[in-house]
Amino acid sequence: MFAGRIAFRNSQAALRNQFTFGNHIMGRSTSRIFSSGSGPSFDSAPGFADVSDVLKVNYTEEFDQGLTDEEKKSMKRIDVYRSNPNDPNDRPKYVTYYIDMKKCGPMFLDVLIKIKDEIDPTLSFRRSCREGICGSCSMNIDGRHHLACLCGIPKDNNEKSVISPLMFMFVLKDLVVDMSHFYAQYKQIQPFLQRKTPKDDVNVEYLQSVEDRKLLDGLYECVLCACCQSTCPSYWWHPQDYLGPAVLMQAYRWVIDSRDEFTEERLEMLGGDMKLGECYQIGLCSLTCPKGLNPRAALAHLKELYKDYADKREHEQMTI
């Protein structure tokens, strides 16, 4: 476990407290802010005041499946967030579905597929690999961000489960959020190998020692699902400036790659405008990562590397 990790008595309860935190801070309800137009730019990206309607919805309706009360008692209740910003008359809400778990797979993604295929085909969500590789099915499940394909349904438990979109992101429809701003930030760090010296032989790979290769473990496995990104309070406050834990962890991955020769240029890019300094080592990013990675530790080391670089640069400027 990384040093100085915040101790939470109950990790799931700690993440649920984010909802309480958001409700206290955001103040009065505002008009709906979701839009199906072009993705947010760096100048017009949502700020903390533009909180998602997900946190404001207290309206639930039941989808008519023709079930009796007795039948419902033996089924799993699933409340799914539904919203269609393209329809001005649509009211954001939670819709209740009842699932016979004896006829459904063990993961929450199985439940969503069953709802769409057999109950309500109007439900929208993202999915692809079903193996925790693509990162498509990231969403909030029972108060914590997960990949639905990796999040198992509690066995022998028919208590209500709630599924909603990733927090503090624009909702396009139902569980589908706009990831364009997140991907634009990822592109900004230039996530590819950069060299200053050409290869001696273009048919030979850039080689690493076993030790250098091990430094990348726990970094390259990131699937860019944005679970940590949308859980980070610092990112809630300044998404237009702060790059967030997912993007910064990938920046760190290239900074420490022994094959890359643009280390100082990468560190220079991370300085100023709250790109890196806005990380306060809260730790929710590591707590929620569905792949079990540790963005908090990666960012702590990245901040140390940047400080060393900044001190070196300042010293060089003073000696000129």
Side-chain angles (χ1 to χ4, degrees):
M1 303 298 289
F2 49 81
R5 179 173 180 170
I6 298 176
F8 290 102
R9 292 184 179 179
N10 184 303
S11 60
Q12 191 163 1
L15 277 165
R16 284 174 177 165
N17 284 341
Q18 297 171 50
F19 289 96
T20 304
F21 174 79
N23 282 322
H24 280 305
I25 294 296
M26 66 187 177
R28 293 179 299 175
S29 298
T30 60
S31 59
R32 298 180 63 191
I33 55 147
F34 300 146
S35 171
S36 58
S38 59
S41 66
F42 288 106
D43 294 329
S44 61
F48 186 79
D50 301 320
V51 296
S52 68
D53 284 354
V54 178
L55 298 184
K56 307 172 189 175
V57 173
N58 58 5
Y59 170 62
T60 303
E61 68 179 34
E62 182 177 320
F63 188 87
D64 185 10
Q65 298 175 239
L67 300 173
T68 65
D69 291 341
E70 195 63 29
E71 289 174 321
K72 294 176 184 177
K73 291 180 181 179
S74 62
M75 293 183 172
K76 175 75 173 177
R77 175 178 170 177
I78 306 290
D79 283 8
V80 182
Y81 178 83
R82 303 297 307 272
S83 174
N84 183 7
N86 287 321
D87 182 0
N89 297 317
D90 177 72
R91 179 181 183 182
K93 57 187 173 293
Y94 285 92
V95 176
T96 299
Y97 304 94
Y98 288 91
I99 304 298
D100 184 354
M101 294 310 300
K102 296 178 182 179
K103 300 178 181 179
C104 183
M107 302 297 178
F108 274 97
L109 182 59
D110 295 315
V111 166
L112 292 173
I113 293 174
K114 187 175 182 65
I115 291 173
K116 186 171 181 66
D117 288 349
E118 302 178 15
I119 302 174
D120 185 0
T122 65
L123 176 64
S124 295
F125 58 93
R126 288 191 177 110
R127 67 180 179 93
S128 183
C129 72
R130 295 175 63 116
E131 298 291 340
I133 302 299
C134 69
S136 298
C137 62
S138 54
M139 57 190 69
N140 190 296
I141 301 174
D142 287 336
R144 182 169 180 172
H145 289 175
H146 282 285
L147 291 175
C149 63
L150 297 183
C151 184
I153 303 169
K155 295 182 178 179
D156 302 322
N157 182 355
N158 287 334
E159 293 183 4
K160 177 181 70 174
S161 286
V162 180
I163 304 177
S164 57
L166 293 177
M167 293 190 298
F168 292 87
M169 300 187 78
F170 285 103
V171 173
L172 298 179
K173 188 174 185 293
D174 299 340
L175 302 177
V176 179
V177 297
D178 187 352
M179 301 281 280
S180 56
H181 181 62
F182 171 64
Y183 291 142
Q185 290 180 309
Y186 178 62
K187 181 180 179 180
Q188 190 179 7
I189 67 168
Q190 300 181 335
F192 46 83
L193 192 67
Q194 299 185 76
R195 300 278 296 184
K196 297 178 181 178
T197 57
K199 275 185 177 181
D200 294 329
D201 185 351
V202 296
N203 296 314
V204 177
E205 302 90 340
Y206 293 116
L207 301 179
Q208 282 184 301
S209 67
V210 174
E211 292 74 18
D212 286 340
R213 170 59 186 79
K214 285 184 177 179
L215 294 177
L216 304 182
D217 289 343
L219 303 173
Y220 76 88
E221 299 95 332
C222 175
V223 296
L224 298 176
C225 65
C227 282
C228 65
Q229 197 90 348
S230 51
T231 300
C232 174
S234 294
Y235 193 73
W236 299 347
W237 282 104
H238 302 293
Q240 71 279 11
D241 296 312
Y242 179 48
L243 292 178
V247 173
L248 286 173
M249 186 171 76
Q250 290 310 298
Y252 172 69
R253 175 254 181 275
W254 292 105
V255 165
I256 66 171
D257 194 318
S258 61
R259 300 165 295 177
D260 191 272
E261 296 178 343
F262 276 69
T263 301
E264 291 192 351
E265 289 84 352
R266 293 183 184 277
L267 290 172
E268 176 69 26
M269 185 275 294
L270 295 175
D273 293 329
M274 299 185 293
K275 291 177 183 176
L276 177 60
E278 196 69 4
C279 173
Y280 295 106
Q281 291 289 287
I282 297 172
L284 288 176
C285 52
S286 296
L287 193 62
T288 195
C289 178
K291 301 287 287 185
L293 307 182
N294 195 346
R296 184 191 182 200
L299 268 62
H301 190 208
L302 181 60
K303 292 176 68 132
E304 293 175 1
L305 293 176
Y306 178 79
K307 184 178 184 304
D308 292 342
Y309 164 73
D311 291 344
K312 174 186 173 183
R313 182 184 58 186
E314 182 180 359
H315 177 72
E316 291 174 347
Q317 292 174 346
M318 293 177 62
T319 55
I320 293 178

